[in-house]
């Protein structure tokens, strides 16, 4: 029987080392390093989300309240958290003089819509992913008029809301997105009704509700109406027909992100048409933010 020649002892160790190195390199080439795998996981997740958005099967709408004086790093952190929650449209409460920082905080694929003309201390822009949505038209209606600051007793500046018509680039599905802000301290905490000690604020809320109803009434049937708001209206506090439920939600047949569920969203919320082809499928509140308000992401899914 033929027997292979025994290798000299001096050659055994180098050959073994070369074989191990070849195996390691081939494994990295096939499977990649653990670090690469960790990096690919978020990228794959984002690709899956983008595929869902571009296919038209669902879209995500968010509302995010920004604190006055926030820097780019803080805004970018909060916006990034919300974008990870499937948002493709965001309505902000933006503080005056922070427009450049807000624009710098958005991803490059996103576009920011701002009110035109004189603005007050509470401006409410809309940001959207321009790779998913086409902007059809936008305008900045005055939604509240003058408001009254409860603690200072001073008349505040006018407050604006932005309405944008966005068309899905692939499916043609059209939404009319409205971002607005409700004045603070509208509720009597005990009764759940209007806080008439803040009469100016309550009347401002009524004027805003009237303008929102007008915008919704002018929305063509082919458009889906979606509203985004940050305010102190919660499920257990708005118990009358004088405020949001009675003035906006019920007359417009809107469902909110707490409809039919226990536990409201806290402060921010999103509203959408009940009879639309897209319904609110789920929502999530994000609280690990730099700002002191939660961010809400509502996912709209196509009704089958």
């Amino acid at each position: 029987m033929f027997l292979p020649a025994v290798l000299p002892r001096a050659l055994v160790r180098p050959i073994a080392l070369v074989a191990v190195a070849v195996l390691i390199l081939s494994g990295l080439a096939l499977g990649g390093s653990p670090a690469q795998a960790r990096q690919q996981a978020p990228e794959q997740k984002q690709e899956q989300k983008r595929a869902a958005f571009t296919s038209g099967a669902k879209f995500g709408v968010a509302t995010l309240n920004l604190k006055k004086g926030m820097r780019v790093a803080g805004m970018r952190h909060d916006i990034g958290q919300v974008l990870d929650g499937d948002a493709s449209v965001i309505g902000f409460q933006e503080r005056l003089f922070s427009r450049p920082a807000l624009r710098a905080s958005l991803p490059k694929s996103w576009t920011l819509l701002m009110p035109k003309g004189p603005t007050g201390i509470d401006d409410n822009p809309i940001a959207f992913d321009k790779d998913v949505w086409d902007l059809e038209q936008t305008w900045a209606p005055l939604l509240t008029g003058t408001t009254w600051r409860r603690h200072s007793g001073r008349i505040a500046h006018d407050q604006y809301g932005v309405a944008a018509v966005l068309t899905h680039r692939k499916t043609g599905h059209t939404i009319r997105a409205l971002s607005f802000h409700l004045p603070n301290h509208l509720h009597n905490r005990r009764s759940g009704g209007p806080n008439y000690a803040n009469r100016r604020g309550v009347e401002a809320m009524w004027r805003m509700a009237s303008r929102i109803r007008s915008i919704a009434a002018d929305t063509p049937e082919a458009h889906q109406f979606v509203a985004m708001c940050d305010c102190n209206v919660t499920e257990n506090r708005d118990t009358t027909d004088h405020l949001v439920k009675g003035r906006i939600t019920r007359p417009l047949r809107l469902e909110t992100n707490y409809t039919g569920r226990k536990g409201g969203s806290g402060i921010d919320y999103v509203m959408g048409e009940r009879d639309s082809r897209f319904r609110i499928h789920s929502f999530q509140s994000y609280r690990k933010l730099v700002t002191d308000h939660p961010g809400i992401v509502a996912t709209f899914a196509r009704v089958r």
Side-chain angles (χ1 to χ4, degrees):
M1 182 180 293
F2 175 76
L3 296 175
V6 179
L7 292 173
R9 181 177 298 179
L11 296 176
V12 172
R13 181 173 296 176
I15 291 175
L17 292 175
V18 170
V20 171
V22 170
L23 290 174
I24 292 175
L25 291 174
S26 62
L28 291 176
L30 292 174
S33 67
Q36 288 175 336
R38 287 193 297 269
Q39 290 176 356
Q40 289 174 356
E43 293 176 358
Q44 292 174 353
K45 184 179 179 182
Q46 290 297 330
E47 286 298 324
Q48 292 174 354
K49 290 180 181 179
R50 182 166 293 277
F53 292 150
T54 55
S55 68
K58 68 175 183 177
F59 66 91
V61 177
T63 175
L64 181 61
N65 193 326
L66 300 176
K67 286 196 300 186
K68 188 175 182 179
M70 286 182 70
R71 299 184 180 275
V72 172
M75 289 186 185
R76 185 173 292 153
H77 170 272
D78 289 0
I79 292 171
Q81 295 290 314
V82 169
L83 291 183
D84 284 341
D86 290 350
S88 56
V89 181
I90 305 177
F92 294 98
Q93 180 188 355
E94 181 262 352
R95 298 300 184 182
L96 193 61
F97 305 125
S98 63
R99 293 185 187 187
L102 182 53
R103 291 186 187 278
S105 304
L106 288 169
K108 292 183 179 179
S109 62
W110 282 62
T111 295
L112 182 68
L113 306 176
M114 294 293 298
K116 295 180 180 179
T119 58
I121 55 176
D122 295 315
D123 305 325
N124 297 276
I126 295 176
F128 66 97
D129 189 341
K130 62 185 178 184
D131 292 341
V132 177
W133 301 97
D134 254 333
L135 177 64
E136 188 172 300
Q137 187 180 2
T138 183
W139 62 96
L142 176 64
L143 290 179
T144 63
T146 55
T147 59
W148 179 58
R149 298 294 178 185
R150 180 181 181 184
H151 296 292
S152 64
R154 296 179 179 178
I155 301 296
H157 293 281
D158 293 338
Q159 295 178 340
Y160 286 77
V162 174
V165 180
L166 304 175
T167 303
H168 197 280
R169 288 182 176 271
K170 184 172 183 179
T171 65
H173 175 66
T174 303
I175 63 171
R176 181 160 295 190
L178 176 68
S179 175
F180 65 97
H181 170 65
L182 294 180
N184 295 327
H185 310 295
L186 298 176
H187 292 82
N188 183 307
R189 293 175 180 267
R190 279 175 262 183
S191 67
N195 176 20
Y196 288 110
N198 181 13
R199 181 75 190 195
R200 285 184 180 273
V202 173
E203 291 178 350
M205 164 63 216
W206 290 342
R207 289 193 300 272
M208 172 181 286
S210 175
R211 286 166 174 82
I212 292 173
R213 292 196 300 270
S214 297
I215 293 173
D218 293 336
T219 301
E221 293 184 1
H223 293 190
Q224 180 177 356
F225 183 77
V226 177
M228 296 168 283
C229 172
D230 63 279
C231 64
N232 288 339
V233 178
T234 58
E235 182 179 18
N236 60 352
R237 199 187 296 180
D238 184 12
T239 59
T240 71
D241 290 338
H242 297 290
L243 297 171
V244 173
K245 287 186 178 179
R247 296 270 174 165
I248 302 176
T249 306
R250 288 193 186 115
L252 298 181
R253 292 186 54 77
L254 298 178
E255 64 173 354
T256 70
N257 56 3
Y258 56 65
T259 298
R261 301 178 178 90
K262 292 184 178 180
S265 61
I267 297 177
D268 303 335
Y269 64 91
V270 177
M271 297 181 289
E273 290 175 311
R274 292 183 182 274
D275 298 328
S276 170
R277 290 178 296 162
F278 285 78
R279 297 285 302 278
I280 296 180
H281 178 261
S282 62
F283 75 95
Q284 188 171 353
S285 177
Y286 292 83
R287 297 182 180 274
K288 294 182 179 180
L289 303 176
V290 177
T291 183
D292 53 357
H293 285 60
I296 301 297
V297 177
T299 300
F300 288 77
R302 183 185 294 275
V303 178
R304 297 184 182 273

